[in-house]
Amino acid sequence: SQQGEEDPQALSIQEGENATMNCSYKTSINNLQWYRQNSGRGLVHLILIRSNEREKHSGRLRVTLDTSKKSSSLLITASRAADTASYFCAHRDNFNKFYFGSGTKLNVKP
Amino acid sequence: DAGVIQSPRHEVTEMGQEVTLRCKPISGHDYLFWYRQTMMRGLELLIYFNNNVPIDDSGMPEDRFSAKMPNASFSTLKIQPSEPRDSAVYFCASSFLGAAEAFFGQGTRLTVV
């Protein structure tokens, strides 16, 4: 399977703290993406990092990529209760199929 | 654009009945994906289409599952006959060549009793 693995599976933090989620994947990639899924909703694209990039920022999001270790991390700084959701890493292969990780369920307590 | 539209949002059916899930992709997108999400298996790719043609259906669990895309703006996923283990949330997503991301619908929560 080309699906990635994410850890932790679940993360519970207080509002204002930082949340870090990790993703490992198995194949070579052109880019890696992170998605967010609110309860009962579809996945929404958050940020993409290309294989030749090591770090990328978007607002309170910071993504890193280590292609030698086939891993990525998503950091959400100064978390808010509204950040409570599941977060998935994903990549698109050369056949244009999307593969998603197992997801990290984040709970931010107010 | 209204995004990817799926219907119904919720479906409760009895075992043995036929179930049809519907999807309207974003206009101009030439890739359409059907996913199934469960707690046990996560997000599984069932089948995907390119320009209305099925490209890979290796994720379709059984012959009870079938999918069609008669035109660029409509796709169906059918389960016949349905079984309780088919209970899951089914997502449709669309994209286009050159795009890195997939755009998801809100999903159909299927419960088979």
Side-chain angles (χ1 to χ4, degrees), chain A residues 23-37:
Chain A
C23 164
S24 61
Y25 55 92
K26 298 179 181 179
T27 64
S28 297
I29 59 169
N30 296 318
N31 59 67
L32 190 119
Q33 309 164 39
W34 286 88
Y35 288 75
R36 166 191 169 128
Q37 183 181 30

Side-chain angles (χ1 to χ4, degrees), chain A residues 34-47:
Chain A
W34 286 88
Y35 288 75
R36 166 191 169 128
Q37 183 181 30
N38 284 30
S39 180
R41 315 284 279 187
L43 280 71
V44 175
H45 185 261
L46 290 176
I47 191 169

